Amino acid sequence: MATRRQFIRISAIGAGAVMAGAAGFRLLGSELTEGQKATLAALTGRTPTYCEVCFWKCAGWVWKDDGGNIKKITGNNEDQHSSGRFCPRGTGGPGMYYDEDRLKVPLIRTDERGKQVFREASWGEALDHVAGKMKEIIEKNGPESLALFYHGSGGKYFTDLFKALGAGNYAQPSFAQCRGPRDVAFAATFGENPGSPENTDIRDTRCLVLIGSHIGENMHNGQVQEMSDAIDKGATIITVDPRFSTAAGKSKYWLPIKPATDLALLLAWIHEIIYNEYYDKKYVEKYCYGFEELKEHVRNFTPEWAYGITTINPTLIRDTAREMADASPAVIVHPGRHVTWYGDDTQRIRAVAILNALLGSWGRRGGFYKQEGKTIPVYPHPEYPAPEKTWREWYPGKYNLADLGVANVLIDASIPTPEKEAMIKGWLVSGTNLPLTVPDTEHTLEAIQSLDLIVAVDTMPMEITGWADVVLPECTYLERYDSLRDSPHRKPAIALRMPAVEPKYESKPAYWIARELANRMGKGEYFPFEKLEDLLDWQLKQMGSSLEEMKKAGVKTWEREADDLFFGEGEDISFWTNTGKIELYSTAMENEGFGPLPVYTPHPEPPEGFYRLIYGRAPMHTFSRTSNNANLFDLMDENSLWVNPRVAKEWGLASGQYIHLKNQDGVKTDFPIKLRITERIRWDSVYMVHGFGHADKKLTRTYGRGANDTKLITNVMMDPVMGGTGMRGNFVTIITDLGKEEVAS
Amino acid sequence: MRYAMAVDTKKCVGCSDCVVACQTENDVPIGYCRDWVVETMDGTYPQLEVELRSERCNHCANSPCVRCCPTGASHFAEGGIVLVTHNKCIGCGACIASCPYDARYPHPKGYVDKCTFCNHRLKEGMKPACVAVCPTKCMYFGDLDDPNSDVSVILKKRKSKTLIPEAGTRPQLYFLI
Amino acid sequence: MNEELIISGRENLMVDPQLHIWHWPIPLYLFLGGLAAGVLFFAALFYLLGKENEYRAAVRRVPFVAPIALIIGLAALFYDLNHKAFFWRLYTTVRLESPMSWGAWTLAVITAVSVIWCALHIREFFPRWDWKYQWLKDLETFFNKYKKVLAWVMLIYAIVTGVYTGILLSAFNARPLWNTSVLGPLFLASGLSAGAAAIVLASKDRKERLAFSKIDLIILGVELFLIVHMFMGFLASTQVQIDAAQLFLGGQYTMVFWIFVVIIGIILPGILDLMELRGQHIPAVIPGVLVIFGSLMFRFVFVFAGQVSRWLY
């Protein structure tokens, strides 16, 4: 069946893989010496995996010691995501495996929801219970009455289960609570979203513009590595941030913008680039639609106009516009990642997309490359029944541009209103800690209390597992097989995850859990393979490889098939938009009744005595997930609040002091937060790293450490375009009297 | 042969990967670290400057810790690396007090521990764990006596500094500035 | 504004947030070692000056304090070790550059010498002492024959013991508070004054008490001079030493140093000694106890404050 051409290609790839493997060893420093071989052999074999600590899914190797215990994790040199170097969270992966606070056995609630009184159960009992209740709910209210919230590798199996049930209500909070607006904005402009990992060609860029992205503190491994390469090559970095971020520290220009005014700056840049004719004329003429409308639209958005709004000097706006233009087309105005800020986020990222288009960076070297992925063959299964109703029915006509599930709508649809009954009666939550993920925690808890069933699948006891009726302990990524990683990149590639060790305690892989549930619900035909590795082997053999080969290589990369990495000179291209062109003027937005061109709207500012709450990431943690990991807790055991010295003087505060925060709705932090008095933050804002302030006592290390910013995010600014929940419109005041600590469960 | 390390402060983002990689490579007990990351900040908003650097034992050429050790447990190994022989160390703590960089710590097992420049990896031609893992590739390591080694080449190209040279210890950890 | 922070969560036990690797056993030993050194110094000195009958307490009786002090001190040092099973490694090598190595060997010698000296004078307390075994009796005869040599050895090693503890600390240039060459002589003076005070306390002979009060007074004067000299040195030195001096000039150790060490430990007993010499009758026990207390506090304050003084962060 393999044609001669395929045979040659396969052999070449095979030989290449072997050479790449050997080259990988060589990259360790020198030719493999006897001593090196002995050292490598002494570690009882290394097994390939791809990391699950964040979404980047870097491929790497897990090393064990003589006793077969996991010792360390390093990167796979062949992997495009990590180039052989893992980030601190990936390197700290063993901490996830060894955490004594891990969920160990299935738990079933025996008291009121949230009281966290559980009894241990066998898997058989727990799964029977869950499947039984799920069937009951479906029978009474239809498949749309079940909702799945997921994040991470386990999500695939549960979505397959839902699809098999004809249930269409599943969502990842990472859409509407994080990257959704930019996915929709880029799709509206370029016809496709930036992807995950993003298609930014940072390593060859000559100018990297970060507006609301803090690379270096957000540890997007490949991007941090490429930013370092760009610095080596002398690239300019322009950072727009109210805070002096790590990236700002490496930037040629730092624009200390007043929070919530980014759109004004972007419009002024667009104005400069158009009216000074800095834009890529050939590119715009050939590929873009709506230039004249855009030009007219930004006529009055001058740097002087922007200065009044953003407090950024007009000269700086002009200089940075010039800098970007000089670098064009090797310039990236980064799309950002967590962009749900003020509710007009899709429009703001539209401005980012427009700027990129004008500079001609989309599809060009040093700008955005064309990603290509490998299609993993799907094992034949019966067709999925089409869902009759989904969350889209809850707010009819709304959020049509959202191409993925909107988690907050699922939450809304779980609460009965005076007008209608709740659509959703049961939740399955896999790998996402909803109370620390979705803003307006009270609302989420209200939804939970309205449910007939809530099941949580997780590796660690988190706030969400405390609220569950049934807790199903999942084993960590180090203890299981998972689907092949097929994230698109510069070259199509796959990565294998295989277990390094047996699952600890009674924990089980999500695939097994989903299959067991499917079997109990009469959908076993959708999960024909009892062992996931058999499915993987089948898939790999279809692709010209095998499980054996992947176990030794970890990663397999192919040459591009579809097209080139970048647009060819003068190449005719059709974009997946209504007009077939890059839409500077968005017809898709217009059709939905939204502004086809972004407009600046002012947002509420903090009242007297209050400060805007800004939050961000630290490179040693992934949100609230890793705060209890011993290795990573060692690096950062609590967050601290950045406060400007002027503010500190006003309140009489000192660095290292602990304080409470109270927001505009009177909501107070459960635990006090340590102060860092620093000039790196503006006087109208305070900043903390997200993911601390855990209130679950089962997290023995991190319980009570630091403050939980999600709790303080009660004012949600909805994005009307795709339902994103803007979180930066909350203001806090300082409470120096620590008093008695209140603990929410 | 003189081993040395260079850290590029212009590229270091303070992610602390070097700290956790060292921990898993060298079985450093939880709660201790052989290397750490320092941030220095200067200025007034918005005229600000930040420097980030990964620090560890400097394997000083004029090392006070080797000098003050009463049993010879702290000694110079090949390439000028300062090592501690565990079964000669009595745990008196003099070396810990004598280090102006606070690079040493008392290991729970009783002896004094610190960065070893991953001596066990050097022997096999590999770089120290921190250098090998750094995502920004801002760390360089090699033999200063070899003009073609990574560290020699980069030190010739870039301005660099050491920490508190006036303490007279002749540290072998350079920071590119 | 200027910040310098460790952002990777370094919390090494006994090193962070501030060095505290040496606790009470070290200053206790330093005091006991200094006291023993002082006591043995005077014993040897006045023996060699032929005053063994005039100053019976100094030469014959007070030295009994020394082996007790030294053994307790050594026990404290041993207790402080983190890797106790290997303590014998100290005696497998002589490291000339390490004051701690000299200390280990010196201590071995001085302890042995002090035991021998006390053995020779055991009949001060037990007039009918009988060594029982012939080899012990032979040893007694032998040492009595070479008592002068023994005294010289004791004199020299007493000085070394007194001074090396100061040199040991001053060799740590990482701790700017200790890094002054005045510390050696200062520790020696402090030890000698403690020794003299012990003799004053123990002696029943008024002439002896007066003599040693005078000696003590002189040594206290020297100590005071050295302390002033030391601070002048710090304040005229580099920034780290100026910062170190600030610990005692407004910083956290100011009160405890000037009140306990200087006023109570040096100035007050000095004044009392002066009054005694002028004819006022002062109960000898008061200045004696004050001096010993001051000597002990001096070592505690210096060892703890020294660990606070630093170059970085």
Side-chain angles (χ1 to χ4, degrees):
Chain A
M1 273 166 288
T3 64
R4 193 154 34 123
R5 204 155 44 114
Q6 268 179 313
F7 175 83
I8 291 172
R9 199 188 307 151
I10 289 169
S11 323
I13 290 169
V18 169
M19 287 202 304
F25 283 150
R26 208 167 292 132
L27 281 170
L28 287 174
S30 57
E31 302 291 332
L32 262 189
T33 63
E34 285 313 307
Q36 241 170 321
K37 288 185 202 150
T39 307
L40 291 174
L43 302 167
T44 51
R46 53 179 199 176
T47 53
T49 190
Y50 58 87
C51 188
E52 181 86 353
V53 188
C54 89
F55 67 88
W56 210 259
K57 301 200 175 88
C58 299
W61 300 104
V62 184
W63 303 81
K64 298 185 285 209
D65 63 18
D66 288 340
N69 302 308
I70 293 178
K71 179 176 154 69
K72 64 176 186 179
I73 303 176
T74 60
N76 185 322
N77 289 325
E78 307 312 311
D79 178 34
Q80 293 173 91
H81 293 217
S82 70
S83 306
R85 291 160 187 262
F86 263 30
C87 84
R89 296 137 334 137
T91 309
M96 197 189 266
Y97 170 74
Y98 286 113
D99 198 334
E100 329 77 40
D101 293 333
R102 271 174 68 172
L103 293 172
K104 301 175 175 71
V105 290
L107 299 169
I108 297 184
R109 169 172 72 83
T110 56
D111 201 332
E112 265 174 55
R113 231 175 239 153
K115 283 228 170 113
Q116 297 217 38
V117 183
F118 296 98
R119 65 173 170 85
E120 297 184 355
S122 68
W123 273 104
E125 187 194 343
L127 290 165
D128 286 342
H129 180 90
V130 170
K133 288 223 81 150
M134 280 171 73
K135 276 200 299 204
E136 199 183 302
I137 291 174
I138 292 180
E139 262 152 49
K140 257 176 51 180
N141 310 98
E144 66 271 12
S145 60
L146 280 182
L148 167 69
F149 298 85
Y150 66 100
H151 189 90
S153 306
K156 168 152 180 30
Y157 319 120
F158 293 116
T159 43
D160 282 351
L161 172 62
F162 266 55
K163 285 181 195 157
L165 293 167
N169 278 338
Y170 42 84
Q172 296 170 281
S174 59
F175 180 71
Q177 275 63 63
C178 186
R179 68 181 200 278
R182 69 130 209 229
D183 281 1
V184 171
F186 267 60
T189 315
F190 297 110
E192 54 187 293
N193 69 53
S196 181
E198 289 79 10
N199 62 337
T200 47
D201 192 24
I202 298 178
R203 71 184 183 200
D204 278 330
T205 194
R206 300 224 315 271
C207 179
L208 175 63
V209 182
L210 299 169
I211 175 158
S213 171
H214 54 336
I215 299 183
E217 279 153 300
N218 82 9
M219 194 66 209
H220 293 174
N221 198 353
Q223 294 192 4
V224 173
Q225 295 193 22
E226 292 196 18
M227 184 170 82
S228 178
D229 291 338
I231 292 175
D232 265 341
K233 293 180 191 168
T236 306
I237 303 180
I238 299 172
T239 301
V240 180
D241 202 315
R243 184 180 64 96
F244 193 73
S245 60
T246 301
K250 308 213 182 294
S251 300
K252 182 171 174 187
Y253 296 100
W254 170 47
L255 280 63
I257 194 167
K258 181 170 165 191
T261 63
D262 309 69
L263 245 177
L265 174 64
L266 288 162
L267 291 169
W269 271 340
I270 292 172
H271 171 99
E272 277 303 289
I273 293 196
I274 291 181
Y275 286 92
N276 287 319
E277 305 202 351
Y278 292 158
Y279 59 94
D280 188 332
K281 299 200 177 66
K282 281 207 316 216
Y283 184 97
V284 169
E285 200 186 334
K286 190 166 171 69
Y287 299 127
C288 297
Y289 165 86
F291 179 77
E292 291 306 320
E293 288 87 339
L294 175 66
K295 180 168 176 176
E296 186 52 41
H297 177 77
V298 298
R299 179 177 294 280
N300 296 322
F301 299 147
T302 61
E304 279 71 22
W305 164 83
Y307 170 50
I309 297 170
T310 62
T311 74
I312 295 176
N313 200 297
T315 319
L316 194 48
I317 298 179
R318 292 202 161 84
D319 287 346
T320 43
R322 183 79 222 222
E323 189 86 32
M324 285 186 244
D326 280 346
S328 157
V331 57
I332 300 172
V333 184
H334 200 284
R337 182 84 192 179
H338 174 87
V339 290
T340 45
W341 302 352
Y342 302 107
D344 58 353
D345 310 298
T346 311
Q347 294 287 17
R348 183 183 72 254
I349 308 294
R350 274 271 303 142
V352 168
I354 290 170
L355 194 49
N356 278 306
L358 290 174
L359 292 166
S361 63
W362 184 263
R364 315 284 282 289
R365 180 175 295 278
F368 296 81
Y369 65 87
K370 295 196 288 178
Q371 294 187 319
E372 188 173 316
K374 197 74 187 160
T375 317
I376 312 283
V378 177
Y379 193 82
H381 59 75
E383 220 181 288
Y384 292 127
E388 281 172 21
K389 235 170 127 183
T390 69
W391 56 272
R392 293 188 190 274
E393 262 70 62
W394 188 252
Y395 297 121
K398 267 181 116 166
Y399 311 142
N400 289 330
L401 289 177
D403 55 333
L404 293 179
V406 178
N408 38 298
V409 174
L410 294 186
I411 294 175
D412 290 347
S414 308
I415 303 176
T417 70
E419 292 90 45
K420 50 189 171 176
E421 249 200 65
M423 182 196 284
I424 293 171
K425 311 277 193 206
W427 286 8
L428 177 57
V429 185
S430 161
T432 172
N433 187 15
L434 293 178
L436 264 70
T437 305
V438 185
D440 196 359
T441 318
E442 281 308 305
H443 184 71
T444 309
L445 295 181
E446 190 191 338
I448 290 179
Q449 292 291 40
S450 317
L451 299 171
D452 293 339
L453 172 73
I454 167 170
V455 181
V457 178
D458 212 316
T459 58
M460 294 288 299
M462 286 277 165
E463 282 72 11
I464 186 66
T465 60
W467 284 94
D469 298 336
V470 181
V471 179
L472 301 176
E474 193 185 359
C475 57
T476 68
Y477 65 105
L478 298 164
E479 302 154 271
R480 62 187 202 231
Y481 279 97
D482 264 319
S483 315
L484 297 170
R485 183 198 77 189
D486 59 354
S487 318
H489 214 278
R490 290 186 176 88
K491 291 192 182 167
I494 57 170
L496 173 72
R497 173 182 292 158
M498 68 172 283
V501 286
E502 285 299 303
K504 235 182 176 197
Y505 315 116
E506 298 292 315
S507 60
K508 294 275 186 219
Y511 178 79
W512 181 91
I513 298 174
R515 184 166 184 272
E516 288 289 313
L517 287 174
N519 280 336
R520 284 170 171 77
M521 298 176 76
K523 301 290 173 181
E525 49 196 346
Y526 292 92
F527 291 81
F529 288 91
E530 188 192 333
K531 293 209 279 191
L532 186 56
E533 63 240 53
D534 295 330
L535 169 62
L536 297 178
D537 197 27
W538 178 86
Q539 290 175 323
L540 287 165
K541 293 211 164 85
Q542 303 285 308
M543 296 162 76
S545 177
S546 70
L547 192 57
E548 276 317 295
E549 184 192 330
M550 287 303 289
K551 279 186 186 179
K552 295 203 196 81
V555 164
K556 191 173 169 70
T557 312
W558 284 264
E559 288 308 311
R560 293 178 71 98
E561 273 177 31
D563 53 14
D564 293 329
L565 200 50
F566 304 107
F567 296 162
E569 187 69 38
E571 182 187 341
D572 288 321
I573 301 170
S574 184
F575 297 89
W576 290 12
T577 55
N578 291 334
T579 54
K581 289 186 165 241
I582 295 176
E583 295 197 355
L584 303 172
Y585 179 101
S586 171
T587 56
M589 297 278 278
E590 192 177 42
N591 292 343
E592 289 299 320
F594 302 113
L597 292 164
V599 159
Y600 168 73
T601 42
H603 297 296
E605 294 182 30
E608 178 94 32
F610 280 74
Y611 309 93
R612 186 181 300 272
L613 176 64
I614 321 182
Y615 52 85
R617 312 281 173 242
M620 49 286 274
H621 279 291
T622 305
F623 316 130
S624 66
R625 170 186 304 188
T626 55
S627 0
N628 207 56
N629 176 324
N631 296 81
L632 302 179
F633 181 82
D634 240 9
L635 299 177
M636 182 175 180
D637 54 4
E638 59 181 347
N639 55 1
S640 52
L641 190 72
W642 289 23
V643 172
N644 186 283
R646 272 165 44 172
V647 173
K649 195 153 164 218
E650 235 177 84
W651 290 79
L653 306 170
S655 245
Q657 182 180 346
Y658 281 84
I659 50 138
H660 273 289
L661 293 171
K662 192 164 79 158
N663 80 354
Q664 73 281 343
D665 296 326
V667 176
K668 189 167 157 229
T669 43
D670 290 331
F671 308 106
I673 184 171
K674 195 161 152 176
L675 285 177
R676 175 180 167 179
I677 314 292
T678 176
E679 290 281 352
R680 288 175 70 176
I681 183 79
R682 286 170 63 94
W683 47 87
D684 60 1
S685 313
V686 293
Y687 171 81
M688 69 167 87
V689 167
H690 166 75
F692 289 88
H694 280 282
D696 192 324
K697 291 203 166 96
K698 296 203 204 70
L699 296 167
T700 57
R701 250 182 296 275
T702 191
Y703 166 74
R705 302 299 301 269
N708 173 4
D709 54 320
T710 312
K711 182 164 190 231
L712 299 169
I713 298 175
T714 51
N715 174 33
V716 178
M717 302 169 80
M718 294 299 300
D719 186 332
V721 179
M722 40 63 64
T725 49
M727 305 190 206
R728 301 216 174 140
N730 287 273
F731 313 117
V732 291
T733 187
I734 294 170
I735 301 184
T736 47
D737 174 21
L738 294 184
K740 215 163 73 106
E741 277 171 23
E742 305 148 21
V743 178
S745 47
Chain B
M1 183 151 68
R2 162 65 66 187
Y3 283 126
M5 189 184 282
V7 175
D8 191 345
T9 63
K10 292 266 173 274
K11 298 207 296 183
C12 174
V13 292
C15 72
S16 308
D17 209 350
C18 45
V19 181
V20 65
C22 169
Q23 188 168 56
T24 54
E25 174 76 34
N26 294 298
D27 296 318
V28 179
I30 298 280
Y32 294 90
C33 61
R34 292 185 174 186
D35 58 351
W36 58 94
V37 179
V38 174
E39 171 196 324
T40 62
M41 189 229 75
D42 245 310
T44 310
Y45 191 99
Q47 258 70 46
L48 297 171
E49 242 180 63
V50 161
E51 180 180 281
L52 292 161
R53 47 179 202 251
S54 167
E55 299 186 2
R56 59 196 46 66
C57 164
N58 289 250
H59 296 271
C60 307
N62 182 23
S63 148
C65 59
V66 172
R67 191 169 58 233
C68 79
C69 179
T71 62
S74 288
H75 63 280
F76 290 114
E78 200 187 4
I81 297 184
V82 176
L83 294 178
V84 176
T85 311
H86 296 172
N87 63 10
K88 278 197 188 168
C89 174
I90 62 173
C92 71
C95 56
I96 297 179
S98 76
C99 177
Y101 306 99
D102 285 338
R104 288 167 169 258
Y105 65 91
H107 194 283
K109 290 207 181 121
Y111 50 84
V112 173
D113 204 24
K114 66 179 195 64
C115 163
T116 58
F117 269 175
C118 279
N119 202 31
H120 62 287
R121 286 171 64 102
L122 297 180
K123 288 196 260 202
E124 307 304 333
M126 300 192 268
K127 299 265 164 137
C130 52
V131 175
V133 84
C134 175
T136 58
K137 293 178 287 239
C138 77
M139 299 177 69
Y140 304 85
F141 183 86
D143 179 6
L144 279 181
D145 290 339
D146 170 10
N148 296 321
S149 70
D150 288 349
V151 74
S152 301
V153 167
I154 200 73
L155 284 175
K156 272 197 277 265
K157 272 206 284 202
R158 297 274 301 272
K159 263 193 337 195
S160 67
K161 70 175 189 186
T162 54
L163 292 179
I164 45 171
E166 62 271 24
T169 54
R170 291 189 14 229
Q172 299 306 311
L173 177 57
Y174 298 86
F175 294 98
L176 307 175
I177 49 176
Chain C
M1 180 187 195
N2 181 273
E3 283 176 285
E4 195 165 54
L5 312 164
I6 296 180
I7 57 172
S8 62
R10 192 183 83 181
E11 272 178 353
N12 288 335
L13 206 62
M14 297 198 261
V15 176
D16 298 303
Q18 164 215 299
L19 183 70
H20 196 52
I21 188 73
W22 284 340
H23 310 99
W24 60 266
I26 302 300
L28 178 67
Y29 154 71
L30 293 177
F31 164 70
L32 291 172
L35 175 66
V39 159
L40 294 174
F41 172 80
F42 288 120
L45 179 68
F46 286 103
Y47 172 78
L48 290 168
L49 290 176
K51 300 261 172 83
E52 67 173 313
N53 290 317
E54 211 178 312
Y55 296 141
R56 286 196 82 87
V59 176
R60 297 169 186 271
R61 298 162 78 86
V62 181
F64 276 83
V65 169
I68 300 170
L70 287 170
I71 289 170
I72 296 178
L74 284 168
L77 283 184
F78 180 76
Y79 170 75
D80 178 71
L81 291 181
N82 282 319
H83 214 205
K84 296 176 174 57
F86 293 89
F87 82 95
W88 51 272
R89 287 282 191 185
L90 281 171
Y91 298 105
T92 58
T93 174
V94 180
R95 305 195 64 79
L96 292 172
E97 286 188 316
S98 164
M100 200 174 266
S101 185
W102 312 344
W105 287 107
T106 303
L107 237 58
V109 171
I110 194 75
T111 309
V113 167
S114 71
V115 168
I116 296 172
W117 188 268
C118 291
L120 293 181
H121 296 98
I122 192 113
R123 294 193 184 79
E124 286 291 314
F125 294 100
F126 302 104
R128 285 194 300 255
W129 185 266
D130 175 24
W131 283 111
K132 290 215 170 91
Y133 299 102
Q134 188 55 39
W135 64 273
L136 284 172
K137 292 193 188 146
D138 288 340
L139 273 177
E140 188 183 17
T141 322
F142 170 79
F143 281 116
N144 266 319
K145 195 159 131 203
Y146 292 102
K147 199 162 175 188
K148 236 193 171 112
V149 176
L150 187 67
W152 272 108
V153 169
M154 195 159 86
L155 185 74
I156 292 170
Y157 272 91
I159 296 176
V160 174
T161 306
V163 91
Y164 101 88
T165 48
I167 294 182
L168 184 146
L169 291 184
S170 74
F172 286 125
N173 73 336
R175 313 263 77 93
L177 183 70
W178 293 341
N179 192 214
T180 162
S181 47
V182 171
L183 214 58
L186 184 54
F187 268 60
L188 178 62
S190 179
L192 292 178
S193 84
I199 293 169
V200 167
L201 280 176
S203 170
K204 298 194 181 54
D205 178 32
R206 191 173 152 73
K207 229 174 64 158
E208 192 178 15
R209 283 211 303 271
L210 266 174
F212 279 94
S213 294
K214 211 190 299 187
I215 292 174
D216 209 0
L217 183 61
I218 296 171
I219 298 175
L220 286 174
V222 169
E223 256 192 274
L224 204 56
F225 167 72
L226 286 175
I227 288 178
V228 170
H229 189 50
M230 181 175 72
F231 276 98
M232 282 173 59
F234 282 146
L235 293 172
S237 179
T238 60
Q239 187 63 46
V240 280
Q241 302 218 283
I242 294 174
D243 290 340
Q246 295 306 325
L247 286 168
F248 297 109
L249 300 171
Q252 54 193 129
Y253 289 96
T254 309
M255 289 276 112
V256 91
F257 180 73
W258 295 104
I259 294 182
F260 288 151
V261 179
V262 179
I263 295 179
I264 295 183
I266 299 178
I267 295 181
L268 196 55
I271 292 176
L272 291 177
D273 276 338
L274 206 57
M275 287 162 67
E276 175 86 37
L277 290 168
R278 290 266 180 90
Q280 298 259 38
H281 185 65
I282 310 286
V285 73
I286 299 179
V289 165
L290 291 179
V291 167
I292 289 179
F293 172 75
S295 190
L296 178 67
M297 286 311 295
F298 170 61
R299 284 160 177 80
F300 265 89
V301 169
F302 243 70
V303 168
F304 283 24
Q307 291 177 81
V308 174
S309 74
R310 72 240 261 121
W311 283 86
L312 292 169
Y313 322 128

